Amino acid sequence: MGSKRRGGRWGHLLIPALLVAIVAGGYWLKVSPTSAISGSGGRESTDTLLARGVSMHNAGQYDAALEAYRKVLEREPAHPRGHYNIGQIYNIRGQNADAQRAYEAALSGDPGFLDARLNLGVVLYRQRQFSSAAHAFRRVLQVSPTHPLALFNLGISVLELGQTDEAIRWLRAALREDVKRADTHYYLGLAMERRGRLPEARAALLKAIELNPRYADGYKALARVYLAQGEKRLALEALAKTTELNPVSK
């Protein structure tokens, strides 16, 4: 995965971590159930309560999972995984500011929690706080220099900041780690187009479409590049494909 975790008090329970790439994709860490049993007087242990929340979380029962995680925090207000999993639910629901606060709370409890820092960057990006997002992704890369999602997300963050040459460097680094991500090739193509490096833009966009033949935005960007290269017929064909894949695209 490229992501490292500190050991410590909660290190024996891996919480599912949906690592959201900003444009597409994502993956889950495996859940490792604990063998924790009820505490004194039949009261659920914190780990058991957390594991119950994880089970409901994975089943898509988000309200019930939130209730379980909040009970964890009632017992241990600084519990990093409790805050983090609440952030994951807010993230899925598009509640970016709430997710940001949850990830920041997780990092207050465990500054080395890379998944929390990665997804903090994601929700900052979604709130158009591109400089802060880039800072979060850089922090991930300080610990895990080849983390493919951190490389990709940093690349598109600095692209939003107008730092095109730096974006190209980060996106190329991301492709060295995962050459089959269509969205990375797509954004590399956009960066090359912005720099006027049209043959390289064309090659990157064609690769994105090869990997994802239904990539409507890829065809749309390719049409611009074809037109800039004076290839009107190819540009019209690419635009027609864009419309076919996304009838409302203009």
Side-chain angles (χ1 to χ4, degrees):
M1 302 279 289
S3 176
K4 299 179 181 177
R5 272 190 181 76
R6 289 167 51 177
R9 189 173 180 185
W10 299 287
H12 63 288
L13 179 64
L14 296 181
I15 302 305
L18 180 61
L19 302 182
V20 184
I22 291 171
V23 176
Y27 48 90
W28 292 87
L29 297 180
K30 299 294 185 183
V31 179
S32 178
T34 68
S35 58
I37 59 175
S38 297
S40 60
R43 184 175 186 239
E44 278 186 300
S45 73
T46 300
D47 282 346
T48 300
L49 185 57
L50 184 63
R52 183 157 59 85
V54 168
S55 179
M56 292 181 290
H57 191 153
N58 281 338
Q61 300 172 18
Y62 298 134
D63 289 337
L66 279 173
E67 182 180 353
Y69 297 147
R70 285 168 179 157
K71 286 180 179 177
V72 169
L73 296 180
E74 286 174 7
R75 298 182 185 184
E76 301 187 38
H79 199 298
R81 271 61 177 178
H83 285 292
Y84 175 77
N85 279 9
I86 288 174
Q88 293 296 75
I89 292 173
Y90 287 144
N91 197 336
I92 290 168
R93 290 177 167 176
Q95 297 173 240
N96 295 316
D98 292 328
Q100 177 185 341
R101 287 189 286 271
Y103 294 139
E104 288 170 344
L107 288 164
S108 292
D110 181 1
F113 195 165
L114 289 196
D115 294 339
R117 197 169 299 283
L118 179 72
N119 281 346
L120 173 61
V122 169
V123 295
L124 289 167
Y125 181 100
R126 289 176 175 162
Q127 295 173 88
R128 303 191 65 79
Q129 299 179 41
F130 300 123
S131 182
S132 296
H135 178 69
F137 299 133
R138 291 182 197 278
R139 291 283 300 275
V140 173
L141 292 170
Q142 286 174 358
V143 179
S144 183
T146 59
H147 196 302
L149 286 179
L151 291 166
F152 166 72
N153 289 340
L154 178 55
I156 65 175
S157 296
V158 298
L159 187 61
E160 291 284 358
L161 293 168
Q163 300 167 12
T164 309
D165 289 337
E166 185 178 355
I168 290 170
R169 289 197 297 274
W170 290 118
L171 291 167
R172 281 178 164 166
L175 287 173
R176 285 195 291 272
E177 302 306 319
D178 186 355
V179 74
K180 294 185 178 181
R181 285 191 64 95
D183 49 0
T184 310
H185 289 282
Y186 168 75
Y187 276 94
L188 180 60
L190 294 189
M192 292 296 187
E193 179 191 9
R194 183 177 293 181
R195 294 295 290 142
R197 295 162 62 173
L198 297 181
E200 291 166 283
R202 178 172 176 164
L205 294 168
L206 285 170
K207 185 63 177 179
I209 291 166
E210 176 188 332
L211 291 167
N212 179 6
R214 300 194 61 79
Y215 206 151
D217 286 343
Y219 283 103
K220 188 174 182 178
L222 187 58
R224 290 195 307 269
V225 171
Y226 282 146
L227 194 59
Q229 292 183 308
E231 299 193 51
K232 185 177 292 185
R233 180 182 60 81
L234 289 176
L236 290 173
E237 290 175 357
L239 283 175
K241 189 66 175 178
T242 303
T243 303
E244 174 191 330
L245 294 170
N246 184 8
V248 300
S249 179
K250 295 181 179 179

